[in-house]
Amino acid sequence: MKRIAGGLFAFLFLIGTSGEAVAQIGIDFGVRGGVSVTSASFELDTFDPDNRTGFVGGPFLNVDLGIFGVQVAALYHQMGFEDPDSNTDLEFTYYEIPAIVKIGVPLPRMKPSIFGGVALGYEGSCEINGADCADGETSSTQYAGVAGADVALYLGNFSMWADGRYNFGVSDVFDEGELLDGIGSFKHRAWNFTVGLGFRL
């Protein structure tokens, strides 16, 4: 998956290095989607869980201020992990609002950027070993840090986007401490790789 994301970034970079310079100030609205490869960070290091691959995507609004920029989004994010040895399988969905600050290099027809920020997630569903989580077992809100890079390729009023980011939870998923034997409290971890389309407002 990382190789695919790297190849896509390189492809957009090669295409975007010719043509007119990117506008220094602009607002773009778009939609993006892709895969989220998730796991967890545990209070008790008793096993190494397998990654879970899910979907992440939704609309975004990007404000380009030349070298700097800001972006907000509203994402549907599938997360969780599984461990065959302990027969543990957790699945979550969140409605996530990330807000990031970007630093980029405006090039002809494109702009690669690095970014960092925060994300607020609202739990949509939770399943433990195929059964719904009981009320009050998990926190209804999640806070996370976000870091990554993206590249935008501008084609007139339209744009193509590729985004890779690391989402690291800073709040415990379980409200009641240790819910499953050997797990204790844990925090989400996720690699997101998305592509999208946008247009200039």
Side-chain angles (χ1 to χ4, degrees):
M1 188 59 63
K2 293 181 181 179
R3 294 178 183 175
I4 295 174
L8 181 58
F9 274 84
F11 173 71
L12 293 178
F13 182 85
L14 291 174
I15 294 178
T17 51
S18 62
E20 298 179 358
V22 175
Q24 292 296 302
I25 298 177
I27 301 175
D28 294 277
F29 176 80
V31 177
R32 70 172 188 263
V35 297
S36 177
V37 182
T38 67
S39 186
S41 173
F42 296 94
E43 179 186 17
L44 304 176
D45 297 326
T46 55
F47 64 88
D48 184 19
D50 290 341
N51 292 332
R52 177 179 295 282
T53 301
F55 173 79
V56 59
F60 68 90
L61 185 69
N62 190 85
V63 180
D64 190 350
L65 303 172
I67 294 176
F68 297 99
V70 295
Q71 186 184 107
V72 294
L75 304 177
Y76 177 80
H77 196 174
Q78 294 179 320
M79 306 182 78
F81 69 89
E82 56 185 337
D83 178 57
D85 294 333
S86 62
N87 294 319
T88 301
D89 188 1
L90 278 81
E91 297 183 57
F92 298 86
T93 61
Y94 290 95
Y95 303 102
E96 189 175 81
I97 304 173
I100 58 175
V101 176
K102 305 171 64 176
I103 300 176
V105 181
L107 298 173
R109 291 177 54 183
M110 71 176 301
K111 183 180 179 181
S113 303
I114 59 174
F115 56 76
V118 296
L120 172 63
Y122 297 93
E123 185 182 290
S125 66
C126 169
E127 291 186 2
I128 301 177
N129 296 330
D132 291 337
C133 300
D135 292 340
E137 285 183 333
T138 59
S139 175
S140 59
T141 58
Q142 288 290 303
Y143 301 93
V146 179
D150 72 3
V151 60
L153 173 64
Y154 293 95
L155 305 170
N157 290 327
F158 294 92
S159 54
M160 297 174 60
W161 297 75
D163 182 296
R165 63 181 61 192
Y166 183 59
N167 184 307
F168 50 98
V170 296
S171 54
D172 289 333
V173 175
F174 292 144
D175 271 344
E176 302 299 328
E178 184 174 344
L179 184 61
L180 298 176
D181 292 338
I183 292 181
S185 60
F186 77 91
K187 300 175 177 63
H188 288 299
R189 298 288 185 265
W191 285 99
N192 298 162
F193 303 99
T194 64
V195 294
L197 295 174
F199 64 91
R200 182 61 54 98
L201 297 179

